[in-house]
Amino acid sequence: MDTGSAGWACRGALNPTKASANRMAEDLLPKRPDMNSSCPLIPCTSEIDPDARLMIRVQNGDEESFAILLNRNRNYVLQCLSRMVRNLALAEELVQDVFVRVYRARATYEPRAKFSTWIYRIAMNVALNYFRDEKRTCRSLSLDVPETGRLRRE
C-alpha cells in the first residue's frame, strides 16, 4: 500500500481496477487540507497512538478503558501541572479536574494528534484557569474593618 506523509494512505492506490468508483467516492471523503493531492487521505490505523485507541474505546462506552487511560497518563499530567503550579497537593487536585474534563469531552475527541498532546493542552488550560481564578480572588478587597485593628482618626 502506498503511504503518504505522516502515515496517511491514499484510497485510490488500494485497488487500481476500481479507480472510477474511487473517483466518485472522492467527493464524499474529506481531504487533508495541507496536502496538494486530489487523492482523499485516511489515517493508517497501524500508527494510531495506543492512548488514542483507548480514548476511542471510551467514546464507545468502555469504562474500563478510561481507567486504563487514567492510570497510564496520571503521572504525566501530574508532572506537567506540578511544574506549572509548583505545589504538589494543588497539582493533584488539578489532575482530577483534567480527567473530569477528558471524560466530559470524550464524545468530541478526534485522534488527529497524539493523545498526550491533547491531554497536555487540557492540563495547561486547567492550570491557566486556576491562575486566572486565583488572581481574581486576590484582587478582591474586603471593605470591612478587621476586628483586631480599629481605625483611628487623627
Side-chain angles (χ1 to χ4, degrees):
M1 181 189 309
D2 293 337
T3 57
S5 65
W8 291 78
C10 177
R11 277 237 169 141
L14 293 177
N15 191 349
T17 60
K18 296 185 179 182
S20 61
N22 286 338
R23 270 188 246 116
M24 287 188 289
E26 284 179 9
D27 296 331
L28 302 174
L29 296 172
K31 294 178 176 58
R32 225 172 123 199
D34 61 341
M35 301 296 289
N36 293 328
S37 171
S38 64
C39 180
L41 301 172
I42 58 172
C44 287
T45 56
S46 63
E47 294 188 22
I48 291 181
D49 183 24
D51 289 335
R53 287 185 186 157
L54 284 171
M55 191 62 189
I56 291 169
R57 289 173 59 184
V58 170
Q59 283 179 328
N60 295 327
D62 186 2
E63 301 293 327
E64 188 176 316
S65 293
F66 185 74
I68 295 169
L69 201 59
L70 188 142
N71 289 331
R72 287 179 59 145
N73 291 284
R74 186 184 180 287
N75 288 336
Y76 169 70
V77 174
L78 180 62
Q79 195 174 39
C80 293
L81 288 172
S82 63
R83 281 193 311 251
M84 187 97 171
V85 299
R86 298 176 193 241
N87 180 337
L88 187 60
L90 176 61
E92 288 176 351
E93 287 181 32
L94 294 178
V95 165
Q96 292 178 1
D97 292 343
V98 168
F99 282 101
V100 166
R101 286 189 185 195
V102 166
Y103 189 77
R104 287 182 181 163
R106 70 189 180 278
T108 60
Y109 175 73
E110 294 178 16
R112 285 185 262 161
K114 287 182 71 175
F115 179 79
S116 59
T117 304
W118 186 66
I119 200 168
Y120 176 82
R121 189 68 253 164
I122 292 173
M124 291 303 105
N125 287 341
V126 166
L128 292 173
N129 288 346
Y130 168 77
F131 287 131
R132 183 193 64 222
D133 294 344
E134 189 68 20
K135 190 175 183 181
R136 284 183 188 160
T137 59
C138 288
R139 283 188 180 174
S140 64
L141 295 174
S142 175
L143 297 177
D144 296 332
V145 177
E147 291 182 21
T148 57
R150 305 243 175 191
L151 293 177
R152 288 191 243 169
R153 287 190 167 173
E154 292 183 32

